[in-house]
Coordinates of all heavy atoms in Angstrom, one line a residue:
M43 N 34.5 69.7 -48.4 CA 33.9 70.9 -48.0 C 32.8 71.4 -49.0 O 33.1 71.4 -50.2 CB 35.0 72.0 -47.8 CG 34.5 73.2 -47.2 SD 36.0 74.2 -46.9 CE 35.4 75.3 -45.6
G44 N 31.7 71.8 -48.5 CA 30.6 72.2 -49.4 C 30.8 73.5 -50.0 O 31.6 74.3 -49.6
K45 N 30.0 73.8 -51.0 CA 30.1 75.1 -51.7 C 29.5 76.2 -50.8 O 28.5 75.9 -50.0 CB 29.5 75.1 -53.0 CG 28.0 75.2 -53.1 CD 27.5 75.4 -54.5 CE 26.0 75.7 -54.5 NZ 25.7 77.0 -54.3
K46 N 29.9 77.4 -51.0 CA 29.4 78.5 -50.2 C 28.4 79.3 -51.1 O 28.8 79.6 -52.3 CB 30.5 79.5 -49.7 CG 30.0 80.7 -48.9 CD 31.1 81.4 -48.4 CE 30.8 82.7 -47.7 NZ 29.4 83.0 -47.3
N47 N 27.2 79.5 -50.7 CA 26.2 80.3 -51.5 C 26.6 81.8 -51.5 O 27.2 82.3 -50.5 CB 24.8 80.2 -50.9 CG 24.2 78.8 -51.2 OD1 24.7 78.1 -52.0 ND2 23.3 78.5 -50.4
A48 N 26.3 82.5 -52.6 CA 26.5 83.9 -52.6 C 25.5 84.6 -51.7 O 24.5 84.0 -51.3 CB 26.4 84.4 -54.1
N49 N 25.8 85.9 -51.4 CA 24.9 86.7 -50.6 C 23.5 86.7 -51.3 O 23.4 87.0 -52.5 CB 25.5 88.1 -50.4 CG 26.6 88.1 -49.4 OD1 26.8 87.1 -48.6 ND2 27.4 89.1 -49.4
G50 N 22.5 86.5 -50.5 CA 21.1 86.6 -51.0 C 20.5 85.4 -51.5 O 19.4 85.3 -51.9
E51 N 21.3 84.3 -51.6 CA 20.8 83.0 -52.2 C 20.1 82.2 -51.1 O 19.3 81.4 -51.5 CB 22.0 82.2 -52.7 CG 22.4 82.7 -54.1 CD 23.4 81.7 -54.7 OE1 23.2 80.5 -54.4 OE2 24.2 82.1 -55.5
G52 N 20.3 82.5 -49.9 CA 19.7 81.7 -48.8 C 20.4 80.5 -48.5 O 21.5 80.1 -49.1
S53 N 19.9 79.8 -47.4 CA 20.6 78.6 -46.9 C 19.6 77.5 -46.7 O 18.4 77.7 -46.4 CB 21.3 78.9 -45.6 OG 22.2 79.9 -45.7
I54 N 20.0 76.2 -46.9 CA 19.2 75.0 -46.7 C 20.0 74.1 -45.9 O 21.2 73.8 -46.1 CB 18.8 74.4 -48.1 CG1 18.0 75.3 -48.9 CG2 18.0 73.1 -47.8 CD1 17.7 74.8 -50.3
W55 N 19.3 73.5 -44.8 CA 20.0 72.6 -44.0 C 19.0 71.5 -43.4 O 17.8 71.8 -43.5 CB 20.7 73.3 -42.8 CG 19.8 74.0 -41.9 CD1 19.2 73.5 -40.7 CD2 19.2 75.3 -42.0 NE1 18.4 74.4 -40.1 CE2 18.4 75.5 -40.9 CE3 19.4 76.3 -42.9 CZ2 17.7 76.7 -40.7 CZ3 18.7 77.5 -42.7 CH2 17.9 77.7 -41.6
Q56 N 19.5 70.4 -43.0 CA 18.6 69.4 -42.4 C 18.7 69.5 -40.9 O 19.7 69.6 -40.2 CB 19.1 68.0 -42.8 CG 18.1 66.9 -42.4 CD 18.4 65.6 -43.0 OE1 19.5 65.3 -43.5 NE2 17.4 64.7 -43.0
R57 N 17.5 69.5 -40.3 CA 17.3 69.6 -38.8 C 17.6 68.3 -38.2 O 17.6 67.3 -38.8 CB 15.9 70.1 -38.5 CG 15.7 71.5 -39.0 CD 14.2 71.9 -39.0 NE 13.5 71.4 -37.9 CZ 12.8 72.1 -36.9 NH1 12.9 73.4 -37.0 NH2 12.2 71.6 -36.0
K58 N 17.7 68.3 -36.8 CA 18.0 67.1 -36.1 C 16.8 66.1 -36.2 O 16.9 64.9 -36.1 CB 18.3 67.4 -34.6 CG 19.6 68.0 -34.5 CD 19.9 68.3 -33.0 CE 21.3 68.9 -32.8 NZ 21.6 69.1 -31.4
D59 N 15.6 66.7 -36.3 CA 14.4 65.8 -36.4 C 14.1 65.2 -37.8 O 13.1 64.5 -38.0 CB 13.1 66.6 -35.9 CG 12.8 67.8 -36.8 OD1 13.5 68.0 -37.8 OD2 11.8 68.5 -36.4
G60 N 15.0 65.5 -38.7 CA 14.9 64.9 -40.1 C 14.3 65.8 -41.1 O 14.4 65.6 -42.3
R61 N 13.5 66.9 -40.7 CA 13.0 67.8 -41.6 C 14.0 68.7 -42.2 O 15.1 68.8 -41.6 CB 11.9 68.7 -40.9 CG 10.7 67.9 -40.5 CD 9.6 68.9 -40.1 NE 10.0 69.8 -39.1 CZ 9.4 70.9 -38.8 NH1 8.2 71.2 -39.4 NH2 9.8 71.7 -37.8
W62 N 13.7 69.3 -43.3 CA 14.7 70.3 -43.9 C 14.2 71.7 -43.7 O 12.9 71.9 -43.6 CB 14.7 70.0 -45.4 CG 15.5 68.7 -45.7 CD1 15.0 67.5 -45.7 CD2 16.9 68.7 -46.0 NE1 16.1 66.6 -46.0 CE2 17.2 67.3 -46.2 CE3 17.9 69.6 -46.2 CZ2 18.5 66.9 -46.5 CZ3 19.2 69.2 -46.5 CH2 19.4 67.8 -46.7
A63 N 15.1 72.6 -43.6 CA 14.7 74.0 -43.3 C 15.6 74.9 -44.2 O 16.7 74.5 -44.7 CB 15.0 74.4 -41.9
G64 N 15.1 76.0 -44.5 CA 15.8 77.0 -45.4 C 15.5 78.4 -44.9 O 14.4 78.7 -44.3
A65 N 16.4 79.3 -45.2 CA 16.1 80.7 -44.8 C 16.7 81.6 -45.9 O 17.7 81.3 -46.6 CB 16.8 81.0 -43.5
V66 N 16.0 82.8 -46.1 CA 16.4 83.7 -47.1 C 15.9 85.1 -46.7 O 14.9 85.2 -46.0 CB 15.9 83.4 -48.5 CG1 14.4 83.5 -48.6 CG2 16.5 84.2 -49.6
Y67 N 16.6 86.2 -47.0 CA 16.1 87.5 -46.8 C 15.3 88.0 -47.9 O 15.7 87.9 -49.1 CB 17.3 88.5 -46.6 CG 18.0 88.3 -45.2 CD1 19.1 87.4 -45.1 CD2 17.6 89.0 -44.1 CE1 19.7 87.2 -43.9 CE2 18.2 88.8 -42.9 CZ 19.2 87.9 -42.8 OH 19.8 87.7 -41.5
V68 N 14.0 88.5 -47.6 CA 13.1 88.9 -48.6 C 12.6 90.3 -48.3 O 12.7 90.8 -47.1 CB 11.9 88.0 -48.7 CG1 12.3 86.6 -49.2 CG2 11.2 87.8 -47.4
L69 N 12.1 91.0 -49.3 CA 11.5 92.4 -49.2 C 10.2 92.3 -48.4 O 9.3 91.5 -48.8 CB 11.3 93.0 -50.6 CG 10.8 94.4 -50.7 CD1 11.8 95.4 -50.1 CD2 10.5 94.7 -52.1
M70 N 10.1 93.2 -47.4 CA 8.8 93.3 -46.7 C 8.0 94.5 -47.2 O 8.5 95.3 -48.0 CB 9.2 93.4 -45.2 CG 10.0 92.3 -44.6 SD 9.3 90.7 -44.8 CE 8.0 90.8 -43.7
T71 N 6.8 94.6 -46.7 CA 5.9 95.6 -47.1 C 6.4 97.0 -46.7 O 6.0 98.0 -47.4 CB 4.5 95.4 -46.5 OG1 4.5 95.3 -45.1 CG2 3.8 94.2 -47.1
D72 N 7.2 97.1 -45.7 CA 7.7 98.5 -45.2 C 9.0 98.8 -45.9 O 9.6 99.9 -45.6 CB 7.8 98.5 -43.7 CG 8.8 97.5 -43.2 OD1 9.3 96.7 -44.0 OD2 9.1 97.5 -42.0
G73 N 9.4 98.0 -46.9 CA 10.6 98.4 -47.6 C 11.9 97.8 -47.1 O 13.0 98.0 -47.7
T74 N 11.9 97.1 -45.9 CA 13.0 96.5 -45.3 C 13.2 95.1 -45.8 O 12.2 94.5 -46.3 CB 13.0 96.6 -43.8 OG1 11.8 95.8 -43.4 CG2 12.9 98.0 -43.3
Y75 N 14.3 94.5 -45.5 CA 14.5 93.1 -45.7 C 14.6 92.3 -44.4 O 15.2 92.7 -43.5 CB 15.8 92.8 -46.5 CG 15.7 93.2 -47.9 CD1 15.9 94.5 -48.4 CD2 15.4 92.3 -48.9 CE1 15.8 94.9 -49.7 CE2 15.3 92.6 -50.2 CZ 15.5 93.9 -50.6 OH 15.4 94.3 -51.9
K76 N 13.8 91.2 -44.3 CA 13.8 90.3 -43.1 C 14.0 88.9 -43.5 O 13.7 88.5 -44.6 CB 12.5 90.5 -42.4 CG 12.3 91.8 -41.7 CD 11.2 91.8 -40.8 CE 11.1 93.2 -40.1 NZ 10.0 93.2 -39.2
R77 N 14.6 88.1 -42.6 CA 14.8 86.7 -42.8 C 13.5 85.9 -42.7 O 12.8 86.1 -41.7 CB 15.8 86.2 -41.8 CG 16.2 84.8 -42.0 CD 17.3 84.4 -41.0 NE 17.3 83.0 -40.9 CZ 18.5 82.3 -40.6 NH1 19.6 83.0 -40.5 NH2 18.5 81.0 -40.5
R78 N 13.2 85.1 -43.7 CA 12.0 84.2 -43.6 C 12.5 82.8 -43.7 O 13.3 82.4 -44.5 CB 11.1 84.5 -44.8 CG 10.4 85.8 -44.7 CD 9.4 85.7 -43.5 NE 8.9 87.0 -43.1 CZ 8.6 87.4 -41.9 NH1 8.8 86.6 -40.9 NH2 8.2 88.6 -41.7
D79 N 11.9 82.0 -42.9 CA 12.3 80.5 -42.8 C 11.2 79.7 -43.5 O 10.0 80.1 -43.4 CB 12.4 80.1 -41.4 CG 13.6 80.8 -40.7 OD1 14.6 81.1 -41.3 OD2 13.4 81.0 -39.4
V80 N 11.6 78.7 -44.1 CA 10.6 77.7 -44.7 C 11.0 76.3 -44.3 O 12.2 76.1 -44.0 CB 10.5 77.8 -46.3 CG1 10.0 79.2 -46.7 CG2 11.9 77.6 -46.9
Y81 N 10.1 75.4 -44.3 CA 10.3 74.0 -43.9 C 9.7 73.1 -44.9 O 8.8 73.4 -45.6 CB 9.7 73.8 -42.5 CG 10.3 74.7 -41.5 CD1 9.6 75.9 -41.1 CD2 11.5 74.4 -40.8 CE1 10.1 76.7 -40.2 CE2 12.0 75.3 -39.9 CZ 11.3 76.4 -39.5 OH 11.8 77.3 -38.6
G82 N 10.3 71.9 -45.0 CA 9.7 70.9 -45.9 C 10.2 69.5 -45.5 O 11.1 69.3 -44.6
K83 N 9.7 68.5 -46.2 CA 10.0 67.1 -45.9 C 11.3 66.7 -46.6 O 12.0 65.7 -46.2 CB 8.9 66.2 -46.4 CG 7.7 66.3 -45.6 CD 6.6 65.4 -46.1 CE 5.3 65.6 -45.3 NZ 4.2 64.7 -45.8
N84 N 11.7 67.4 -47.7 CA 13.0 67.1 -48.4 C 13.6 68.3 -48.9 O 13.0 69.4 -48.9 CB 12.7 66.0 -49.5 CG 11.7 66.5 -50.5 OD1 11.5 67.6 -50.8 ND2 10.9 65.5 -50.9
W85 N 14.9 68.2 -49.4 CA 15.6 69.3 -49.9 C 14.9 70.0 -51.1 O 14.9 71.2 -51.1 CB 17.0 68.8 -50.3 CG 18.0 69.9 -50.7 CD1 18.8 70.6 -49.8 CD2 18.2 70.5 -52.0 NE1 19.5 71.5 -50.5 CE2 19.1 71.5 -51.8 CE3 17.6 70.3 -53.2 CZ2 19.6 72.3 -52.9 CZ3 18.0 71.1 -54.3 CH2 19.0 72.1 -54.1
E86 N 14.4 69.2 -52.0 CA 13.8 69.8 -53.2 C 12.6 70.7 -52.8 O 12.4 71.8 -53.4 CB 13.3 68.7 -54.2 CG 14.5 68.0 -54.8 CD 15.0 66.8 -53.9 OE1 14.4 66.5 -52.9 OE2 16.1 66.3 -54.3
E87 N 11.8 70.3 -51.9 CA 10.6 71.0 -51.5 C 11.0 72.4 -50.9 O 10.4 73.4 -51.2 CB 9.8 70.2 -50.4 CG 8.5 70.9 -50.0 CD 7.7 70.0 -49.0 OE1 8.0 68.8 -48.9 OE2 6.9 70.5 -48.3
V88 N 12.0 72.4 -50.0 CA 12.5 73.6 -49.4 C 13.2 74.5 -50.5 O 12.9 75.7 -50.5 CB 13.5 73.3 -48.3 CG1 14.2 74.6 -47.8 CG2 12.8 72.6 -47.2
H89 N 13.9 73.9 -51.4 CA 14.5 74.7 -52.5 C 13.5 75.4 -53.4 O 13.6 76.5 -53.7 CB 15.4 73.8 -53.4 CG 16.1 74.5 -54.4 ND1 15.7 74.5 -55.7 CD2 17.3 75.2 -54.4 CE1 16.5 75.2 -56.4 NE2 17.5 75.7 -55.6
D90 N 12.4 74.7 -53.7 CA 11.3 75.3 -54.5 C 10.6 76.5 -53.7 O 10.4 77.5 -54.3 CB 10.2 74.2 -54.8 CG 10.7 73.2 -55.8 OD1 11.7 73.5 -56.5 OD2 10.1 72.1 -55.8
K91 N 10.4 76.3 -52.4 CA 9.8 77.4 -51.6 C 10.7 78.6 -51.6 O 10.3 79.7 -51.7 CB 9.5 76.9 -50.2 CG 8.3 75.9 -50.2 CD 8.1 75.5 -48.7 CE 7.0 74.4 -48.7 NZ 6.7 74.0 -47.3
L92 N 12.1 78.4 -51.4 CA 13.0 79.5 -51.3 C 13.1 80.2 -52.7 O 13.2 81.4 -52.8 CB 14.4 79.0 -50.9 CG 14.6 78.7 -49.5 CD1 16.1 78.2 -49.3 CD2 14.3 79.8 -48.6
T93 N 13.0 79.4 -53.8 CA 13.1 80.0 -55.1 C 11.9 80.9 -55.4 O 12.0 82.0 -55.9 CB 13.1 78.9 -56.2 OG1 14.2 78.0 -55.9 CG2 13.2 79.4 -57.6
K94 N 10.7 80.5 -54.9 CA 9.5 81.3 -55.1 C 9.6 82.6 -54.3 O 9.3 83.7 -54.7 CB 8.3 80.5 -54.6 CG 7.8 79.5 -55.6 CD 6.6 78.8 -55.1 CE 6.2 77.6 -56.0 NZ 5.0 76.9 -55.5
L95 N 10.1 82.5 -53.0 CA 10.3 83.7 -52.2 C 11.3 84.6 -52.8 O 11.0 85.9 -52.9 CB 10.8 83.3 -50.8 CG 9.7 82.8 -49.8 CD1 10.4 82.3 -48.5 CD2 8.7 83.9 -49.5
K96 N 12.4 84.1 -53.3 CA 13.4 85.0 -53.9 C 12.9 85.6 -55.2 O 13.2 86.8 -55.5 CB 14.7 84.2 -54.2 CG 15.5 83.8 -53.0 CD 16.8 83.2 -53.3 CE 16.6 81.9 -54.0 NZ 17.9 81.1 -54.2
A97 N 12.1 84.9 -56.0 CA 11.6 85.4 -57.2 C 10.6 86.6 -57.0 O 10.6 87.6 -57.6 CB 10.9 84.3 -58.0
H98 N 9.7 86.4 -56.0 CA 8.8 87.5 -55.6 C 9.5 88.7 -55.1 O 9.2 89.8 -55.4 CB 7.8 87.0 -54.6 CG 6.8 86.1 -55.1 ND1 5.8 86.4 -56.0 CD2 6.5 84.8 -54.8 CE1 5.1 85.4 -56.3 NE2 5.5 84.3 -55.6
S99 N 10.6 88.5 -54.3 CA 11.3 89.6 -53.7 C 12.1 90.3 -54.8 O 12.1 91.5 -54.8 CB 12.3 89.0 -52.7 OG 13.0 90.1 -52.1
S100 N 12.7 89.6 -55.7 CA 13.5 90.3 -56.8 C 12.6 91.0 -57.8 O 13.1 91.9 -58.4 CB 14.4 89.3 -57.5 OG 13.6 88.3 -58.2
S101 N 11.4 90.6 -57.9 CA 10.5 91.3 -58.8 C 9.8 92.5 -58.2 O 9.1 93.2 -58.8 CB 9.4 90.3 -59.3 OG 8.5 90.0 -58.3
G102 N 10.1 92.7 -56.9 CA 9.6 93.9 -56.2 C 8.3 93.7 -55.5 O 7.7 94.6 -54.9
L103 N 7.8 92.4 -55.5 CA 6.6 92.1 -54.8 C 6.9 91.8 -53.3 O 7.6 90.8 -53.0 CB 5.9 90.9 -55.4 CG 4.6 90.5 -54.8 CD1 3.5 91.6 -55.0 CD2 4.1 89.2 -55.5
P104 N 6.5 92.6 -52.3 CA 6.9 92.4 -51.0 C 6.1 91.2 -50.4 O 5.0 90.9 -50.8 CB 6.5 93.7 -50.2 CG 5.5 94.3 -51.1 CD 5.7 93.8 -52.5
V105 N 6.7 90.6 -49.4 CA 6.1 89.4 -48.7 C 5.1 90.0 -47.7 O 5.4 90.9 -46.9 CB 7.2 88.6 -48.0 CG1 6.5 87.5 -47.1 CG2 8.1 88.0 -49.0
A106 N 3.9 89.5 -47.7 CA 2.9 90.0 -46.7 C 3.2 89.5 -45.3 O 3.6 88.4 -45.1 CB 1.5 89.4 -47.2
T107 N 3.0 90.4 -44.4 CA 3.2 90.0 -43.0 C 1.8 89.7 -42.4 O 0.8 90.0 -42.9 CB 3.8 91.2 -42.2 OG1 2.9 92.3 -42.3 CG2 5.1 91.6 -42.7
S108 N 1.8 89.0 -41.3 CA 0.6 88.5 -40.7 C -0.1 89.7 -39.9 O -1.2 89.6 -39.5 CB 0.8 87.3 -39.8 OG 1.7 87.7 -38.8
K109 N 0.7 90.8 -39.6 CA 0.2 91.9 -38.8 C -0.1 93.1 -39.7 O 0.5 94.1 -39.5 CB 1.2 92.2 -37.7 CG 1.4 91.1 -36.8 CD 2.5 91.5 -35.8 CE 2.8 90.3 -34.8 NZ 3.8 90.6 -33.9
M110 N -1.0 93.0 -40.7 CA -1.3 94.1 -41.5 C -2.6 94.6 -41.2 O -3.6 93.9 -40.9 CB -1.3 93.6 -43.0 CG 0.1 93.4 -43.5 SD 0.3 92.9 -45.2 CE -1.1 93.4 -46.1
T111 N -2.8 96.0 -41.3 CA -4.1 96.6 -41.1 C -4.8 96.5 -42.4 O -4.2 96.1 -43.5 CB -3.9 98.0 -40.7 OG1 -3.3 98.7 -41.8 CG2 -3.1 98.2 -39.4
V112 N -6.1 96.8 -42.4 CA -6.9 96.7 -43.7 C -6.3 97.7 -44.7 O -6.2 97.4 -45.9 CB -8.4 97.0 -43.3 CG1 -9.2 97.1 -44.6 CG2 -8.9 95.9 -42.4
S113 N -6.0 98.9 -44.3 CA -5.5 99.9 -45.2 C -4.1 99.4 -45.8 O -3.9 99.6 -47.0 CB -5.3 101.3 -44.6 OG -4.3 101.2 -43.5
E114 N -3.3 98.8 -45.0 CA -2.0 98.3 -45.5 C -2.2 97.2 -46.5 O -1.6 97.1 -47.6 CB -1.1 97.8 -44.4 CG -0.5 98.9 -43.5 CD 0.2 98.3 -42.3 OE1 0.0 97.1 -41.9 OE2 1.0 99.0 -41.8
F115 N -3.2 96.3 -46.2 CA -3.6 95.2 -47.1 C -4.1 95.7 -48.5 O -3.7 95.3 -49.5 CB -4.6 94.3 -46.5 CG -5.0 93.2 -47.4 CD1 -4.2 92.1 -47.7 CD2 -6.3 93.2 -48.0 CE1 -4.6 91.1 -48.6 CE2 -6.7 92.2 -48.9 CZ -5.8 91.2 -49.2
L116 N -5.0 96.7 -48.4 CA -5.5 97.3 -49.6 C -4.4 98.0 -50.5 O -4.4 97.9 -51.7 CB -6.6 98.3 -49.3 CG -7.9 97.6 -48.7 CD1 -8.9 98.7 -48.3 CD2 -8.5 96.7 -49.7
T117 N -3.5 98.6 -49.8 CA -2.3 99.2 -50.5 C -1.5 98.1 -51.2 O -1.0 98.3 -52.3 CB -1.5 100.0 -49.6 OG1 -2.3 101.0 -49.0 CG2 -0.3 100.7 -50.3
Y118 N -1.3 97.0 -50.4 CA -0.5 95.9 -50.9 C -1.1 95.3 -52.2 O -0.5 95.0 -53.1 CB -0.4 94.8 -49.8 CG 0.3 93.5 -50.3 CD1 1.6 93.4 -50.5 CD2 -0.5 92.4 -50.4 CE1 2.2 92.3 -50.9 CE2 0.0 91.2 -50.7 CZ 1.4 91.1 -51.0 OH 2.0 89.9 -51.4

């Protein structure tokens, strides 16, 4: 049986098509937390991407959304 990650660490799994996927909850620009998915060719690549997302979120830097207005972007 595999180990269980603590809350907030995210998850990594292999998809049926062979790619790897991961998900983690990160801070958004509006102050809420949302799940963000990342994909990669191997476990290490996905782990690096998740680590970067978690580091930005824990330092208080929100993840930019694709639906931002100019004033929201300038505030960000």
Side-chain angles (χ1 to χ4, degrees):
M43 190 171 199
K45 79 172 188 80
K46 180 173 174 17
N47 288 340
N49 286 341
E51 284 191 29
S53 301
I54 300 176
W55 65 92
Q56 190 169 18
R57 296 166 35 120
K58 289 182 180 180
D59 62 2
R61 291 190 307 163
W62 287 83
V66 68
Y67 285 91
V68 294
L69 180 66
M70 302 304 288
T71 55
D72 60 356
T74 61
Y75 284 86
K76 289 192 179 178
R77 181 177 162 147
R78 288 293 167 213
D79 298 326
V80 295
Y81 302 96
K83 293 180 182 178
N84 53 38
W85 187 92
E86 291 83 11
E87 185 178 341
V88 173
H89 184 260
D90 291 341
K91 290 178 181 181
L92 284 181
T93 303
K94 286 180 186 178
L95 280 175
K96 289 188 294 186
H98 287 297
S99 182
S100 65
S101 68
L103 182 65
V105 174
T107 60
S108 60
K109 299 178 182 177
M110 288 180 23
T111 64
V112 173
S113 65
E114 289 174 339
F115 176 74
L116 293 174
T117 304
Y118 171 73

